[in-house]
Structure formats: C-alpha cells, structure tokens
Amino acid sequence: MINLTIDDRTVSVEKNATILQAAEKLNIKIPTLCYNEEMAPIGSCRICVVEAIKGGESLIVSACNTGVEEGMKVYTKSEKAIEARKFAVKILYSENPSVKLIRDLAEEYGVVEDINVRKSECIHCERCVHACRDVVGQNAIVLTTCGLSYGNDAPSLKWDFDKCIACGTCAFVCPTGAVKMHDHDGVRTLLTPESKQDFTLKKCVSCGSYFMPEVQAQYLMKKTELPADKFDQCMNCR
Amino acid sequence: MENYNVFASRVVSKNEPLAPGHRACTGCGEVLALRLCAKAFGKNTIVVNATGCMEIIASQAPYNSWRLPWIHTLFENASATASGIEAAIKVLARKNRVPESEINVVAIGGDGSTVDIGIQSLSGALERGHNFTYICFDNEAYMNTGIQRSSATPFGASTTTSPAGKKSIGQSTWKKDMPAIMAAHNIPYVATACPSYPFDLMNKVEKALATKGPAYIHVFSVCPTGWRSAGNLSVRYGRLAVETGVFPLYEIENGVYKMSVEVPELKPLTAYTKGQGRFKHLKEDNLAKIEARVHEEYEKLLEKCNLSAVEEGK
Ligand SMILES: Cc1ncc(C[n+]2csc(CCOP(=O)(O)OP(=O)(O)O)c2C)c(N)n1
Ligand code: SF4
Ligand code: SF4
Ligand code: SF4
Ligand code: FES
Ligand SMILES: [Mg+2]
C-alpha cells in the first residue's frame, strides 16, 4: 500500500492507483471530462489537474492518469491547482461555449471570456477515438491534431465509414452529445460533429422488425464464424 | 431510442451497488431492473426500500446485498421516510456537514407497495416537492407473499386472489394508470422503463436523479414465478410487452410527453400472452377484447406525444 496525503488528509491505496482514485476514497471531488471509469485514462482535457508535491518539488499533474507515490502531498484546491484548472476551463470555454457541461464549469471557476472560436459541441476529449479503438477494435475515428503540419486549423475528428460498424459506442461515451445515433425507418443514422452517415438496418425474416445494421451483422458473422442464417432473425424470434 | 446493443455494454459501469448472491428467483426481471437502476445510482445515493420481493431477497439477516446506505420501511411510508431523509440532508448541508447537491435520495417499492398501499405518502411527498426519485418495480401482483392481485394486475390475469375459473376470467379490473396519476401531480419528471431496454432504463434513472424536485419511474418487471413463464424468457417478455403496446416506454418531462421506443406496427397481443401461465385460460374473444383496449390506450398515449411534439415545435 502507498501512503499519501490529499488536501492534508492521509490515505493509503494500492500501489497502481491514480491520484483520482485515491481522492475518491476520501470523497474529495476532482472534476473530470475525458475520464471514463471503464476505459484506460486518456488525459486530454486537463480539467482534473492538481498540485502534487514530491521530493520537495511542486508539479501540476492530471489526477486521472498520474500514479500515487509514497509520501506524495496532493492539493486539489491550492491556488496553483485552481489556477491551472481555470486555464483548462478557459481553453474549453473559448472553444465550446455552447456545451452545457463546459458552461457550468466556466461558471464554477469564474471564467468569463468567450471568444467563440468555434460552435462545435465536440470538446476533443477523445473518448470516442479511444472507445472505437480499444473497446470496439475498429479504430474508425481519427483525431487530426493541431500541430505544424495542420497550420492553425482547429483539431477535428474524421470518421472512416468503411471501418465503422455502426455500433454507437462513440455516441454512448461522448460526454457532450456531439455524436448522436438514432434508428428510424429501417435506417440507423450516425451524426458526428462533421458528418452524417446512414446505415441500412436488417429486417427480421420472421417478424419483420428492424434489428441490426447490415454492416454489423457482416462484421459479427466474420468474427464469430457463424453461418449467415444465424443473423436473419431478431432477438425475439431467434 | 439509441439501440446501442453489443459493444457499448462493455463501457457500462462495472460498479455493482447491489451485490450478487441475493435470493431472487432464477430469471427474475425485477432484480435485473433493480441491478441496472443501482448501477445508475452511483456512489452517493441513499436507498429507501419498502417491503416486497426486492427488500426480502436483499436482506436476509445477518446479510445485506446493498453497498449503499439502505433503509427498510413499511409499505405505507417509503415516501415519507425518503422525505425525511431529504429534509435531513438539507439541514446538514446548511450546517456544512454534507454537500447537499451530491446526495441522491431514492425510494423503491413494488406495485402493491406503490400503486395500492404507499400511494398516499407518495402523493404527499410529490405534492410537497421533495427532491427525490421514486421507482416502482411493477411485476403486476403482490409476488413475495404468493401472487395476490393488486391494482396493477392486468385484466384477465389469474392470481391467487383473482383466480380464473368457470365463473371468473381472473382479474376483472383494468390496470391502474399509475404514471398518469404521478404526472397529474405536475412533477418535473415521470417515465416508464423496462430492463429489456437497459440503456434506456439507466439513462432515465440518471435523468430522474439529476432532476431538481420529485421524479417517478415506473419499471415493468417480469416475474417468471408469479406469471408462470419460463425464467430464460424474462428479457424477451419485457421486449414483447413494449412491442405489443402492452407497456409503452415514454417520458413526461415538465408535462411534455415523448415516446422512448417508437413501435411502427404493434405486434399481436398473443405474441406476449403466449407462454404465460397467468393468461393460459383466456379465450380468443377475451384476448381480442384486451387487445382492443391495449390499442385504444396506445393511441391515446400517441396522441399526447403528438400534441406535445406540435406544442414544442411552436
Ligand atoms: C402492511 C403489510 N401487509 C402485508 C405484508 C406482507 N407482505 C410482504 S411482501 C408483500 C408483497 C409485496 O408486493 P409488491 O409491493 O407488489 O412487491 P413484490 O413482492 O411483488 O415485488 C406482502 C403482502 C407486509 N409486510 N406489510
Ligand atoms: S459507431 Fe462506428 S465509429 Fe462509432 S464506435 Fe462504433 S464502429 Fe467506431
Ligand atoms: S465527439 Fe464527443 S467523445 Fe469524441 S472527442 Fe468530441 S466530445 Fe469527445
Ligand atoms: S417472485 Fe417474482 S419478483 Fe419476486 S424474486 Fe421471484 S421472480 Fe423476482
Ligand atoms: S479527466 Fe484527467 S485529463 Fe481529462
Ligand atoms: Mg409486485
């Protein structure tokens, strides 16, 4: 077990625990955006930053993906921590003032500037990218990051619909609703921040209800090596 | 509704506030519903549980399946107890002893406990506007004591106190429309749900918890023991109840009706009644009568949803 203090309270946790998990044990709340308990930490939003003092040195670290260390002193509400978090909120707020989650954070941290760079609901937390790659295994979403080769373009997400199997996991994990999925009239529509794609749904041969996207049935057929007629019926008729 | 199926379930919370090892029957749809609700409760929820199957199966002394603060009440006072807890949290928050906004209060009960016996204290708590969520797990009878009819038992169902026989069709009254009674209190959130649609159910519980003020969810819970249906078909029966129009899934948010699952063409009622021992005695004309009523109620609900859509569109 590793012993550390968070906001001057002592806690002892497993050696591979993160600062976020240790804080949770003490019921100390650290805000998160990109973090999803069921996925490996992404560490992209920086909203969870805290001040960590180790070996006499004060560092600003993200709590969701920084491991605990013996004797570490963590401050979640120190001036330095709040300042750093406020900066993260500022960046998000200037890019995504229309997202309620971000507006609430801005209000909480007293961030007022709204330079309104973009109107997208996507906050580039990358949850969808990681979920599609690590959970679904399709790797159909690519984040084109800002960097020298991209000039001053804002980062954007590209969906590769040749790889996508219309499972909607990206929509499920998206914290802002920037990805949406819905079924209607025999079609599943996936709405992403920058594109819209329709997928044909399969019709049950017995009762006639639509139950699964064609592409997904094809994918599962290959994966499970089951014969095609195993994918002809819906869950009720099977 | 978003039909996430296969893959998204891998990122659903693995936290199980209702521990395994409880004593519900094999194939119990009610405990499946409760487990999914508990996942949505998260870590900061106080559960008030009226007597009934879900209380009995989770609390065989000296054991208890709950990993959350949990209190057992009588049938008649679950909502009163929840009201008191909510008021106490307010006082403690005023004294800076707890953060008020982070603690949810949820009261749960069966249909007998909610639709019959606890309705007065529930009505009072809604009327006073307490910030809590009430979830009714409706398995359409008093199951824990051996299948006695309640006012939520559907017309034609045979129970021990509404037995089918030469002179009796079984339950001779129509199911009480509890969500409508709840909506008549003008509370901000009312919804129906079913564990056969797990994402929809969890989403509705999260919404109810986030609602400021009272929220009510009516959860259709298949009971293979009381319905005399096969335990391995509980999830399917839940789906069929929705697809036949017997139990439509919808939300009433601040008075606005919205269908959660749109069923373009209702399946014949027999797809649902077939295989359930409680309906076995029903003749073709009985079933036709019930089906007509189901369709009539469904149409009425659709009309409310359409009206809401038009008003919202304005
Ligand atoms: C006032 C009172 N009357 C009777 C009982 C016995 N009793 C315990 S559980 C139960 C059935 C509850 O039915 P319901 O609320 O529908 O829940 P279910 O068991 O069906 O989930 C009854 C009648 C009781 N505990 N208290
Ligand atoms: S819907 Fe497509 S892009 Fe989204 S997670 Fe599934 S496979 Fe990936
Ligand atoms: S679409 Fe959603 S999940 Fe994906 S990066 Fe944007 S906000 Fe995050
Ligand atoms: S009697 Fe019905 S509701 Fe009660 S535990 Fe058994 S299956 Fe579940
Ligand atoms: S929650 Fe830690 S970086 Fe996003
Ligand atoms: Mg009951």
Side-chain angles (χ1 to χ4, degrees):
Chain A
M1 296 297 263
I2 305 282
N3 303 298
L4 66 155
T5 66
I6 304 181
D7 295 345
D8 296 321
R9 289 167 64 193
T10 317
V11 64
S12 118
V13 287
E14 302 286 337
K15 76 168 184 298
N16 50 5
T18 60
I19 294 177
L20 186 66
Q21 285 160 342
E24 191 161 77
K25 207 167 166 188
L26 289 172
N27 226 342
I28 292 174
K29 216 173 160 213
I30 300 173
T32 58
L33 271 178
C34 65
Y35 179 71
N36 178 315
E37 226 177 78
E38 304 306 325
M39 289 161 59
I42 299 167
S44 64
C45 75
R46 315 301 294 170
I47 215 81
C48 64
V49 285
V50 294
E51 180 179 2
I53 299 178
K54 41 184 192 176
E57 199 185 353
S58 154
L59 301 167
I60 287 292
V61 297
S62 40
C64 69
N65 62 353
T66 303
V68 293
E69 285 176 35
E70 187 65 38
M72 194 183 226
K73 287 194 171 95
V74 175
Y75 295 97
T76 68
K77 297 174 193 75
S78 67
E79 208 176 298
K80 194 169 168 181
I82 296 294
E83 207 44 52
R85 197 169 304 145
K86 202 168 161 177
F87 186 64
V89 175
K90 224 180 222 176
I91 292 174
L92 284 162
Y93 188 53
S94 63
E95 292 205 337
N96 308 90
S98 60
V99 177
K100 175 151 192 312
L101 217 59
I102 304 296
R103 277 207 311 272
D104 289 349
L105 277 167
E107 197 185 315
E108 188 182 339
Y109 285 88
V111 170
V112 283
E113 289 113 298
D114 171 3
I115 51 174
N116 243 332
V117 179
R118 297 173 320 109
K119 283 286 182 209
S120 168
E121 284 188 310
C122 174
I123 58 169
H124 300 109
C125 70
E126 298 177 52
R127 270 198 199 176
C128 56
V129 177
H130 286 239
C132 187
R133 188 189 69 198
D134 303 340
V135 179
V136 187
Q138 286 308 90
N139 210 0
I141 313 169
V142 184
L143 178 72
T144 61
T145 34
C146 24
L148 287 181
S149 54
Y150 297 97
N152 284 329
D153 290 354
S156 78
L157 292 167
K158 295 265 175 291
W159 259 255
D160 181 344
F161 289 112
D162 291 334
K163 285 188 185 166
C164 174
I165 55 169
C167 69
T169 308
C170 47
F172 181 66
V173 295
C174 178
T176 69
V179 192
K180 293 182 189 71
M181 179 183 94
H182 71 283
D183 294 2
H184 57 100
D185 312 312
V187 185
R188 170 168 297 180
T189 301
L190 194 69
L191 273 166
T192 82
E194 281 156 42
S195 54
K196 175 175 173 253
Q197 183 79 12
D198 285 342
F199 299 88
T200 317
L201 289 168
K202 252 181 114 76
K203 202 173 183 160
C204 171
V205 292
S206 302
C207 74
S209 54
Y210 294 103
F211 68 99
M212 185 189 270
E214 281 289 352
V215 279
Q216 202 177 105
Q218 292 297 336
Y219 171 82
L220 290 173
M221 220 180 285
K222 242 199 240 148
K223 257 293 208 252
T224 57
E225 296 179 7
L226 287 167
D229 61 3
K230 290 271 181 233
F231 296 87
D232 283 350
Q233 287 173 307
C234 73
M235 289 181 283
N236 289 339
C237 301
R238 228 173 272 160
Chain B
M1 183 184 45
E2 293 87 354
N3 187 7
Y4 291 120
N5 53 42
V6 198
F7 297 93
S9 51
R10 295 179 191 168
V11 266
V12 168
S13 171
K14 289 179 190 66
N15 185 26
E16 300 283 3
L18 181 74
H22 54 70
R23 299 171 189 214
C25 310
T26 311
C28 174
E30 187 158 310
V31 83
L32 173 62
L34 184 60
R35 175 188 165 212
L36 293 166
C37 289
K39 277 180 180 289
F41 290 170
K43 288 161 192 161
N44 285 322
T45 296
I46 299 172
V47 183
V48 181
N49 195 168
T51 290
C53 271
M54 292 307 100
E55 169 264 323
I56 309 254
I57 58 103
S59 64
Q60 298 266 350
Y63 304 109
N64 191 294
S65 309
W66 283 96
R67 291 168 172 148
L68 291 172
W70 177 91
I71 180 169
H72 169 210
T73 70
L74 303 174
F75 281 132
E76 42 279 79
N77 65 338
S79 306
T81 306
S83 304
I85 293 172
E86 187 252 11
I89 291 172
K90 268 195 189 145
V91 173
L92 290 173
R94 214 178 293 143
K95 295 179 177 170
N96 262 330
R97 303 254 300 272
V98 297
E100 179 181 354
S101 58
E102 283 166 25
I103 304 173
N104 308 307
V105 180
V106 177
I108 59 177
D111 52 299
S113 159
T114 307
V115 185
D116 289 347
I117 309 176
I119 196 169
Q120 45 83 10
S121 68
L122 172 54
S123 175
L126 301 186
E127 181 272 327
R128 291 189 300 274
H130 290 282
N131 185 19
F132 81 120
T133 294
Y134 192 101
I135 306 178
C136 170
F137 295 94
D138 181 5
N139 55 11
E140 306 197 311
Y142 290 81
M143 292 308 180
N144 190 71
T145 36
I147 329 178
Q148 292 84 24
R149 58 85 70 184
S150 77
S151 57
T153 304
F155 182 89
S158 182
T159 71
T160 53
T161 49
S162 65
K166 263 195 212 124
K167 300 225 164 119
S168 160
I169 191 171
Q171 174 90 337
S172 59
T173 52
W174 298 95
K175 188 181 177 80
K176 194 190 269 182
D177 189 352
M178 191 63 174
I181 297 171
M182 297 294 96
H185 288 75
N186 289 322
I187 56 173
Y189 190 74
V190 175
T192 65
C194 171
S196 305
Y197 299 80
F199 289 97
D200 183 62
L201 170 58
M202 289 185 284
N203 186 19
K204 283 171 174 166
V205 175
E206 275 165 23
K207 252 185 172 170
L209 295 183
T211 299
K212 289 208 167 45
Y216 177 86
I217 308 181
H218 199 93
V219 183
F220 190 76
S221 309
V222 176
C223 167
T225 305
W227 297 10
R228 278 148 289 138
S229 58
N232 62 335
L233 297 182
S234 294
V235 173
R236 179 175 298 185
Y237 275 122
R239 249 186 335 250
L240 286 168
V242 173
E243 291 173 0
T244 53
V246 166
F247 192 86
L249 300 186
Y250 59 96
E251 283 178 308
I252 313 170
E253 256 184 292
N254 298 311
V256 178
Y257 282 73
K258 189 167 176 275
M259 275 293 183
S260 314
V261 175
E262 280 166 44
V263 188
E265 204 179 316
L266 296 179
K267 285 191 174 159
L269 180 71
T270 47
Y272 168 67
T273 51
K274 202 173 61 196
Q276 292 191 41
R278 61 177 180 157
F279 295 129
K280 199 177 65 193
H281 59 283
L282 294 177
K283 307 267 179 326
E284 223 169 89
D285 58 327
N286 303 143
L287 287 163
K289 178 178 165 184
I290 298 172
E291 189 172 54
R293 170 90 176 206
V294 165
H295 288 183
E296 192 187 313
E297 294 296 321
Y298 194 82
E299 284 304 317
K300 273 195 226 161
L301 178 64
L302 268 186
E303 242 169 66
K304 285 183 192 163
C305 295
N306 291 339
L307 198 64
S308 281
V310 171
E311 281 171 3
E312 285 296 285
K314 264 190 248 167

